[in-house]
C-alpha cells in the first residue's frame, strides 16, 4: 500500500476503495477471522444445502468469503489472484458498478445452483453423479471467479490462459477448467465443487445478456483477441459493418519497440540492466514471469513492459 501527498491510499495501483481492493480486503479479513473461529464460521456461513432449505438462506452469499485455513493460504491466494487479474481486464469494459454487481450475483447464483443441484440429487435418490449432496459444505470465491472467467472469455476469446500447465484459449477456459476440476474431484474425493463453478459461469453469461446493450463497442480500447458483435436491437434492423476501433495504445507500442531495440543493441547483461533501471514504473502490477513475451501484442502495448524486461534480464 502506498500514499502520495495529496492522494488517497492505494493498493496494487488502485485506490483503496476500488472494487477489486474492497473484495480482496474483505476476503483477507474473513480469512484471518477463521483462525479464531474457523469451524464456527464455516458451520454458520459456509454453504450447506440442507441448512439453506431449512432457513439459512444467507449462506448462498456468505460462503464466498470463506476459504480453507491452512499454513499456506493456497485456496485464498488462487481465488484472489484470479479475481484481481480477470477484474483488471473486465472493469475497463463494463465499469466498476457492473463489475461489482456481476461478481456478487455470480457468487449468489453459484450458491443457488449448488442448493438446487443438491435438492435434485436428494429427490432422485441421492446417488446421482455430478450432483451435490444435501450435507456437503461449500466455501470459497471460485463461484464468483468462474463468473469473471466466463465474461473474460467473451471479451478476450483468443487470449491464452494457463490452467495449471496447460495453455487454453479464454473462450474455452471455463469448460476446460470444469473437466480438470471433475478429474481432480475424482482423485480427491469431491474436494472441488464443480456445480458451484458451473453455476457462477452460467449466472455471469445470463447477466452479460442483460448488460450487453449498454456496452458500446466504440468505447472499447483495441486489445488483440477482443471480438465484438453488437447486440441486435430487432430483427428488422439493418445490418451494419463492424466499426474499426482506433488503437489507443499505438504510441505505447512504438515506445516499447524502441525499448526492445535498445535492449538488443546492448553488448552485455549489465548494460541491459543499467538501461532498464531508469525506465521502471513505480507500483507496477506486472504479470507472472511465464507470460512475458516480446512478440505478444498485449505485452507490446503494456506500459510496464520495461519492468518485466528488467525482471527477465536479472534471471
Amino acid at each position: 500500500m502506498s500514499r502520495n501527498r495529496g492522494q488517497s491510499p492505494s493498493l496494487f495501483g488502485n485506490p483503496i476503495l476500488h472494487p477489486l481492493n474492497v473484495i480482496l480486503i474483505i476476503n483477507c479479513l474473513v480469512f484471518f477471522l477463521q483462525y479464531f473461529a474457523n469451524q464456527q464460521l464455516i458451520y454458520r456461513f459456509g454453504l450447506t444445502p440442507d441448512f439453506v432449505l431449512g432457513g439459512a438462506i444467507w449462506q448462498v452469499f456468505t460462503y464466498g468469503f470463506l476459504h480453507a485455513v491452512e499454513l499456506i493460504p493456497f485456496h485464498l491466494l488462487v481465488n484472489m489472484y484470479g479475481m484481481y487479474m480477470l477484474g483488471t481486464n473486465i472493469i475497463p469494459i463494463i465499469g466498476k458498478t457492473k463489475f461489482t454487481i456481476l461478481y456478487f450475483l455470480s457468487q449468489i447464483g453459484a450458491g443457488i445452483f449448488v442448493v438446487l443441484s443438491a435438492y435434485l440429487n436428494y429427490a432422485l435418490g441421492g446417488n446421482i453423479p455430478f450432483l451435490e449432496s444435501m450435507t456437503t459444505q461449500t466455501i470459497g470465491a471460485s463461484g464468483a471467479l468462474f463468473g469473471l472467467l466466463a465474461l473474460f472469455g467473451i471479451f478476450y476469446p483468443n487470449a491464452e490462459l494457463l490452467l495449471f500447465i496447460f495453455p487454453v484459449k479464454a473462450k474455452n477456459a471455463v469448460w476446460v477448467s470444469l473437466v480438470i476440476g471433475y478429474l481432480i474431484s475424482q482423485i480427491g474425493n469431491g474436494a472441488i465443487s464443480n456445480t458451484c463453478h458451473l453455476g457462477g459461469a452460467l449466472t455471469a453469461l445470463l447477466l452479460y445478456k442483460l448488460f450487453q446493450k449498454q456496452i458500446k463497442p466504440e468505447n472499447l480500447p483495441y486489445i488483440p483477441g477482443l471480438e465484438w458483435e453488437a447486440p441486435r436491437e430487432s430483427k428488422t434492423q439493418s445490418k451494419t459493418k463492424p466499426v474499426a476501433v482506433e488503437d489507443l495504445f499505438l504510441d505505447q507500442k512504438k515506445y516499447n519497440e524502441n525499448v526492445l531495440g535498445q535492449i538488443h543493441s546492448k553488448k552485455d547483461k549489465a548494460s541491459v540492466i543499467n538501461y532498464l533501471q531508469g525506465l521502471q514504473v513505480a507500483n507496477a502490477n506486472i504479470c507472472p514471469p511465464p507470460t512475458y513475451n516480446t512478440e505478444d501484442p498485449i505485452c507490446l502495448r503494456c506500459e510496464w513492459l520495461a519492468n518485466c524486461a528488467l525482471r527477465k534480464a536479472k534471471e
Side-chain angles (χ1 to χ4, degrees), residues 68-198:
V69 176
E70 301 166 346
L71 182 61
I72 299 176
F74 180 77
H75 190 200
L76 175 71
L77 289 175
V78 169
N79 282 341
M80 292 299 98
Y81 176 79
M83 179 277 298
Y84 218 101
M85 292 299 101
L86 294 173
T88 297
N89 290 283
I90 291 173
I91 286 178
I93 298 176
I94 67 175
K96 297 177 184 177
T97 301
K98 291 187 181 68
F99 169 82
T100 305
I101 293 172
L102 180 133
Y103 180 88
F104 287 119
L105 287 186
S106 293
Q107 183 169 300
I108 294 171
I112 293 174
F113 206 76
V114 169
V115 175
L116 293 177
S117 171
Y119 182 78
L120 178 62
N121 193 11
Y122 170 77
L124 295 177
N127 296 312
I128 308 300
F130 308 107
L131 297 182
E132 299 287 334
S133 165
M134 290 290 286
T135 57
T136 299
Q137 288 182 323
T138 300
I139 58 173
S142 54
L145 183 63
F146 265 71
L148 300 184
L149 186 60
L151 201 61
F152 184 87
I154 293 175
F155 292 134
Y156 309 101
N158 296 318
E160 280 199 349
L161 300 175
L162 281 178
L163 300 180
F164 297 96
I165 59 173
F166 306 105
V168 178
K169 294 288 187 182
K171 61 185 176 183
N172 302 322
V174 167
W175 315 116
V176 173
S177 297
L178 288 172
V179 171
I180 294 175
Y182 175 73
L183 294 176
I184 293 176
S185 293
Q186 296 306 302
I187 298 174
N189 193 25
I192 295 177
S193 177
N194 296 293
T195 305
C196 182
H197 296 169
L198 178 60

Side-chain angles (χ1 to χ4, degrees), residues 1 12 33 41 46 64 101 120 124-125 128 144 155-156 175 179 193 205 212 215 223 232 234 248 261 269 278 306:
M1 186 183 298
F12 300 125
L33 286 175
L41 284 178
I101 293 172
L120 178 62
L124 295 177
I128 308 300
F155 292 134
Y156 309 101
W175 315 116
V179 171
S193 177
L205 294 175
Q212 188 177 13
I215 304 173
I223 300 177
R232 298 178 181 178
S234 65
L248 302 179
K269 182 177 180 179

Side-chain angles (χ1 to χ4, degrees), residues 230 238-244:
S238 59
K239 295 183 178 179
T240 58
K241 295 182 178 180
V243 179

